Amino acid sequence: MSEEPLIHLDISPLWPAFLVKFVPPVDPEAVANEIKNLQLADPTGRLKSNYGGWQSKLVRAPKFEKTLPALSVVRRTCARAVSELCKHQYPFEKGTISRCEWWANINKPGEDYNAMHHHGEVYAACVYYAQVPEQAGKLIIESPVNHGHEAWHGSQVVRPETGQVLIFPGSYRHMVLPTDSSACEERISVAFNFDIYE
């Protein structure tokens, strides 16, 4: 019996999406402390997709870079990662970051969560997890395709880890589930929106 002939597949990305994970060189506890100090300075914060919890007002980078050194390391490392990501995605192989906005989040166990939302037309949404309880609520990222074969749509469920960054398309709808009420610490994160131009 003869073997089937080899076939060569020429595969091109078709509007590729991404989920990038990495750990920046910074102490998560230092970032968490800077975020707690932001909350002390502005206990009201803002309401956006958060139900309960605290969210800082929107900050346009590089504001506060000198007063938040640990958070600034995270922002600069995320910017480098997004720039590298551009090299692998048509039509932005030569893309440059044109804008970065960020905000911090503190969610208490048992009650606080973020409803399904997206970040509009920004190129990349990044989330750095400064403090993640063991029973932390998961991040759910929804496919923008809502029909057809299940291979092309659905949801990705991600269990975040302390010190980790996740990057995904800003236009993808996502939500954060509540942390189990038995957890003994808050979930603390900072989110970044990066826009790029060619």
Side-chain angles (χ1 to χ4, degrees):
M1 187 168 140
S2 63
E3 290 185 26
E4 292 286 328
L6 294 175
I7 60 170
H8 171 73
L9 300 179
D10 181 5
I11 300 174
S12 298
L14 187 63
W15 298 292
F18 48 82
L19 175 62
V20 178
K21 301 176 184 179
F22 71 95
V23 176
V26 67
D27 176 14
E29 190 175 341
V31 178
N33 287 335
E34 289 179 359
I35 292 171
K36 289 175 188 175
N37 287 336
L38 286 173
Q39 183 186 32
L40 288 173
D42 178 19
T44 306
R46 70 175 184 158
L47 289 175
K48 195 70 176 167
S49 68
N50 52 314
Y51 284 78
W54 174 84
Q55 190 173 104
S56 74
K57 291 185 173 70
L58 193 65
V59 179
R60 181 169 250 179
K63 192 174 181 184
F64 301 135
E65 293 272 301
K66 292 183 179 169
T67 56
L68 302 169
L71 204 147
S72 296
V73 170
V74 175
R75 200 246 346 135
R76 289 193 306 270
T77 308
C78 286
R80 284 177 31 221
V82 169
S83 294
E84 182 64 27
L85 190 58
C86 290
K87 296 176 187 174
H88 302 280
Q89 189 173 36
Y90 174 83
F92 295 113
E93 301 101 330
K94 296 179 180 148
T96 304
I97 291 171
S98 59
R99 181 176 62 130
C100 172
E101 295 176 332
W102 62 266
W103 60 96
N105 306 282
I106 300 178
N107 284 6
K108 298 182 293 298
E111 52 192 274
D112 301 342
Y113 68 97
N114 291 75
M116 190 64 79
H117 66 286
H118 60 79
H119 295 187
E121 296 182 4
V122 299
Y123 173 70
C126 301
V127 186
Y128 174 76
Y129 296 93
Q131 181 173 290
V132 181
E134 202 169 299
Q135 310 88 342
K138 297 177 183 74
L139 171 70
I140 298 177
I141 304 171
E142 193 177 77
S143 168
V145 178
N146 57 14
H147 61 277
H149 191 279
E150 65 183 349
W152 308 115
H153 66 87
S155 297
Q156 177 86 289
V157 179
V158 183
R159 181 185 297 276
E161 298 175 12
T162 298
Q164 181 183 60
V165 168
L166 298 176
I167 305 176
F168 52 92
S171 58
Y172 277 29
R173 287 165 41 91
H174 55 284
M175 68 182 298
V176 180
L177 298 176
T179 292
D180 191 277
S181 58
S182 65
C184 56
E185 59 183 4
E186 299 164 315
R187 172 185 170 133
I188 302 176
S189 64
V190 57
F192 303 89
N193 279 344
F194 287 98
D195 278 337
I196 60 170
Y197 62 86
E198 288 186 89

